[in-house]
Amino acid sequence: MSQRSAGSGARRSRPGRSQVILDDDEPDVSSQPSSSQVQRARCSFTPQQIEQKVAEVVQFILIKDQKKIPIRRADVVKHVVKEYKGQYPGIIRRAGQTFEQVFGLNLVEIDSKNHVYILVNKLHPLPGEPISMCPGSPKTGLLFVILSLIFMKGGTVKEILVWNTLKKLRVYEGVKHEEFGDVKKLVTDVFVRQKYLEYVRIPHTEPLEHEFRWGARAEQEVSKMKLLQFIGELHNEEPQTWTQQYREAASVESNPR
Amino acid sequence: MSRQMGDSHRRFLQTMMSNGVISSSQASALHRHCCETHGAHYSQEKVEDFISVINAQLQPLFMHIRKGMSEEDGLDYFALVNMAKTDITKMSSDYADNELELFRKTMDLIVDSENGTASSTDILNCADSLQTKKLKKKETEHVLNKFVQDKWLNEIEGEYTLSTRCIIEMEQHMRTIYPDLIKRCFVCHNIAIQGQICENAVCGIKIHLPCVARYFKGRTDPHCPSCNDFWTHEIPEVQQYSSQTLQSQSSCAKENTAGPSTSSTLATRRSRRS
């Protein structure tokens, strides 16, 4: 909690040298003797300084992940890495190793063009935990219903079908829900930003229509096979009853990402 | 003995991260669960060793799993604390500036008070004078609720106290900003916020309620352990399950339903005020 920032506020001071702001678009250093100072600054980060940066990046990502907000490289550089930008690939690789070794989390790049990352848990919650590993939120239940619907309908569903389904659970598009608040915002905005859902416009529709698909985080975190087994239990059927879905779930299972 | 981090440690850490604070009996049960789940070697009495393996890895990341005693039930708890003071952790909280100011004011009131509590009325009053941005009465109540939910404050019948998690995490900070106000418990020597103070103005030592209960247990004529004056306060009962090492999972289940503060501390506090 940031009350502590009101205290001594002892920021670890860095040697002044590393404060030199670097022009980071690979300069042709060799042809410019005057930039030798810059070059020295670039190489002058000690292993301890790099270590410190890695730790800061790990903390930054953990904090962002608490709200399930995907992490953009641009933000990591702007808020944490700063003048260490030239060292970014090494730093992010080390951060990834730390997540794996210490926390059992995978740092996954879900968008390699814009460099967007999420954390995916390698350890799954289990029944019979003395204290829950991820205290459940009712919102997760709502999300699960929507993901199931999309999966069972072949990967894409029109928005109207989602709302009609939720209506049966007494969750209404325009009505403030006791638990979920503004449901429309939760489903079409929050879940979408968290990358659990994709919400896209269907082209050439008048009036405007949207459809839902699984988002990148759902693809990483949610097991289609487990979902299908759950649906099977509800219907008292074997998961194999749904041939197409079973095939897809099995193929994901056999090709671990 | 292996000092290597395994999945059992990682599972333990993740559970700590999502819960913030757990009682030592929960920690024991979780230790066992994690070891059994991942087929790691398990020995009942080694929970602290197990945690120290995790702490060794957390140390470079400015995090630490730290043990501390609850001032309410006298039991040990483990909290995951953040030791960094960089800009990054400032962003860690979901709290707005005026909410943080309200927290600081609440902490001032609690530390200033003799018994370590602040009434909701007093807190609501100081919400009017926030410098960052004033909070309406309704908003203040909402924010206070959030502090309780996030386990930074405890609340019983309109009286707020600092939670175990808060004390474990903020002890150092509180010592820095209230150097003259923070006392140590005369019995257990840990930081004492809630407790009883010797009425002898020259003495004025402080003792935690659970420590008072244990120290004066069975004595009909209690005297201050420091100045030997008569101890005027009501002596609370020793709680039934305060022998920590013998705790089983059943008491862990009990805590889950009853919450961290129990009825007997409540009774003590009421009798003190009357």
Side-chain angles (χ1 to χ4, degrees):
Chain A
M1 206 175 182
S2 55
Q3 274 78 27
R4 277 164 296 116
S5 57
S8 54
R11 289 207 59 184
R12 265 155 274 254
S13 56
R14 277 179 227 107
R17 234 168 8 140
S18 66
Q19 300 285 353
V20 176
I21 312 281
L22 294 174
D23 205 14
D24 18 51
D25 297 318
E26 291 307 309
D28 187 7
V29 183
S30 54
S31 65
Q32 296 171 320
S34 62
S35 63
S36 66
Q37 208 181 350
V38 175
Q39 191 184 25
R40 189 145 41 83
R42 182 190 291 274
C43 306
S44 72
F45 300 126
T46 64
Q48 288 81 13
Q49 287 173 319
I50 297 290
E51 201 70 16
Q52 165 92 13
K53 269 297 153 195
V54 171
E56 287 179 14
V57 168
V58 167
Q59 271 217 322
F60 180 80
I61 294 176
L62 280 176
I63 289 160
K64 289 279 170 199
D65 183 67
Q66 282 175 354
K67 286 186 177 170
K68 299 276 177 195
I69 304 169
I71 297 106
R72 300 186 310 141
R73 179 170 81 175
D75 288 334
V76 178
V77 171
K78 186 173 150 211
H79 295 291
V80 193
V81 173
K82 295 175 188 165
E83 69 270 19
Y84 290 62
K85 197 178 166 188
Q87 308 287 330
Y88 182 83
I91 291 175
I92 198 74
R93 187 168 37 81
R94 295 278 303 282
Q97 284 168 356
T98 306
F99 279 120
E100 214 171 316
Q101 284 160 13
V102 182
F103 298 96
L105 299 167
N106 275 342
L107 185 65
V108 179
E109 192 173 51
I110 52 166
D111 178 347
S112 53
K113 197 167 121 243
N114 298 307
H115 303 289
V116 180
Y117 309 90
I118 57 170
L119 285 178
V120 179
N121 197 349
K122 288 172 69 185
L123 308 168
H124 297 284
L126 293 168
E129 291 172 347
I131 330 149
S132 170
M133 188 155 85
C134 32
S137 137
K139 289 173 188 165
T140 324
L142 179 70
L143 176 65
F144 197 74
V145 169
I146 300 171
L147 288 175
S148 304
L149 179 69
I150 299 170
F151 178 59
M152 298 313 282
K153 292 285 177 192
T156 322
V157 294
K158 285 193 174 177
E159 180 171 11
I160 182 76
L161 182 61
V162 170
W163 294 120
N164 284 339
T165 308
L166 293 182
K167 227 180 261 174
K168 293 176 198 154
L169 304 170
R170 300 204 185 143
V171 176
Y172 307 99
E173 181 181 355
V175 184
K176 202 171 162 124
H177 188 272
E178 206 181 315
E179 197 72 65
F180 309 132
D182 184 341
V183 186
K184 168 108 184 177
K185 185 172 174 227
L186 178 65
V187 172
T188 63
D189 181 47
V190 178
F191 286 158
V192 173
R193 266 189 293 135
Q194 294 177 335
K195 300 282 177 195
Y196 279 116
L197 293 177
E198 271 181 26
Y199 179 64
V200 284
R201 216 190 122 173
I202 307 169
H204 317 300
T205 45
E206 184 63 42
L208 250 169
E209 280 184 64
H210 288 83
E211 59 188 15
F212 285 102
R213 292 191 203 113
W214 277 35
R217 189 190 293 275
E219 297 281 357
Q220 293 283 343
E221 273 181 15
V222 182
S223 158
K224 288 178 174 162
M225 192 53 94
K226 288 216 177 94
L227 192 149
L228 199 55
Q229 280 160 359
F230 175 71
I231 303 244
E233 277 170 37
L234 285 183
H235 290 262
N236 220 355
E237 299 265 10
E238 289 298 312
Q240 285 88 337
T241 317
W242 297 274
T243 331
Q244 193 201 330
Q245 281 82 355
Y246 187 80
R247 214 179 295 139
E248 186 182 342
S251 82
V252 182
E253 246 23 40
S254 59
N255 294 309
R257 296 162 290 249
Chain B
M1 186 177 65
S2 164
R3 306 296 294 170
Q4 212 46 36
M5 189 99 174
D7 277 348
S8 56
H9 299 93
R10 294 178 190 120
R11 183 174 291 274
F12 189 96
L13 174 58
Q14 282 203 23
T15 311
M16 283 296 313
M17 285 165 68
S18 45
N19 288 277
V21 62
I22 62 176
S23 72
S24 66
S25 57
Q26 287 177 315
S28 302
L30 181 63
H31 173 212
R32 179 179 187 158
H33 166 78
C34 290
C35 289
E36 283 172 356
T37 301
H38 297 287
H41 173 73
Y42 168 73
S43 72
Q44 199 184 338
E45 67 281 8
K46 291 281 166 69
V47 62
E48 304 231 3
D49 288 346
F50 183 82
I51 290 175
S52 74
V53 173
I54 302 173
N55 275 338
Q57 300 288 325
L58 289 181
Q59 195 245 331
L61 302 166
F62 333 115
M63 291 156 118
H64 192 75
I65 298 175
R66 195 178 288 163
K67 191 163 110 172
M69 188 195 77
S70 154
E71 299 194 325
E72 318 235 335
D73 58 21
L75 299 178
D76 280 337
Y77 285 78
F78 290 96
L80 181 68
V81 302
N82 197 331
M83 302 187 297
K85 290 190 179 108
T86 57
D87 297 345
I88 302 157
T89 44
K90 271 192 210 157
M91 304 167 54
S92 70
S93 64
D94 290 342
Y95 299 112
D97 283 348
N98 55 349
E99 297 175 338
L100 289 175
E101 195 187 347
L102 181 76
F103 190 87
R104 276 190 288 268
K105 295 241 172 184
T106 307
M107 201 151 87
D108 288 346
L109 286 172
I110 291 174
V111 173
D112 255 337
S113 74
E114 190 167 290
N115 56 357
T117 66
S119 72
S120 54
T121 324
D122 291 344
I123 300 173
L124 286 170
N125 282 340
C126 74
D128 286 337
S129 58
L130 293 182
Q131 285 169 358
T132 36
K133 186 169 171 276
K134 281 180 190 156
L135 283 165
K136 294 196 194 88
K137 185 167 174 284
K138 258 242 129 69
E139 295 168 330
T140 310
E141 279 166 356
H142 178 75
V143 177
L144 285 173
N145 260 334
K146 212 159 72 165
F147 288 145
V148 173
Q149 251 173 34
D150 295 346
K151 302 179 199 163
W152 296 109
L153 295 176
N154 290 340
E155 186 263 344
I156 298 166
E157 307 204 330
E159 293 287 326
Y160 288 85
T161 55
L162 299 184
S163 70
T164 310
R165 177 193 197 179
C166 176
I167 294 173
I168 297 177
E169 172 137 9
M170 309 262 189
E171 175 172 353
Q172 238 11 74
H173 173 65
M174 289 194 287
R175 284 188 192 290
T176 317
I177 57 169
Y178 315 106
D180 305 322
L181 288 171
I182 298 290
K183 295 196 172 188
R184 283 182 185 276
C185 170
F186 194 83
V187 174
C188 74
H189 308 295
N190 288 315
I191 183 170
I193 310 292
Q194 286 183 70
Q196 298 180 348
I197 293 178
C198 179
E199 299 272 292
N200 176 356
V202 191
C203 174
I205 60 145
K206 198 169 193 175
I207 307 181
H208 286 126
L209 295 173
C211 295
V212 167
R214 262 173 253 163
Y215 187 82
F216 290 122
K217 188 180 174 221
R219 296 191 205 187
T220 45
D221 187 26
H223 285 268
C224 171
S226 176
C227 70
N228 212 28
D229 264 20
F230 181 65
W231 194 261
T232 51
H233 305 283
E234 175 149 346
I235 311 298
E237 294 271 319
V238 175
Q239 311 221 344
Q240 299 123 356
Y241 49 89
S242 55
S243 56
Q244 295 170 16
T245 42
L246 298 173
Q247 267 192 51
S248 63
Q249 292 180 15
S250 66
S251 70
C252 156
K254 193 159 65 187
E255 275 163 48
N256 277 338
T257 50
S261 41
T262 58
S263 49
S264 69
T265 40
L266 182 69
T268 333
R269 278 211 242 140
R270 253 191 248 132
S271 65
R272 281 217 48 204
R273 228 171 284 132
S274 57

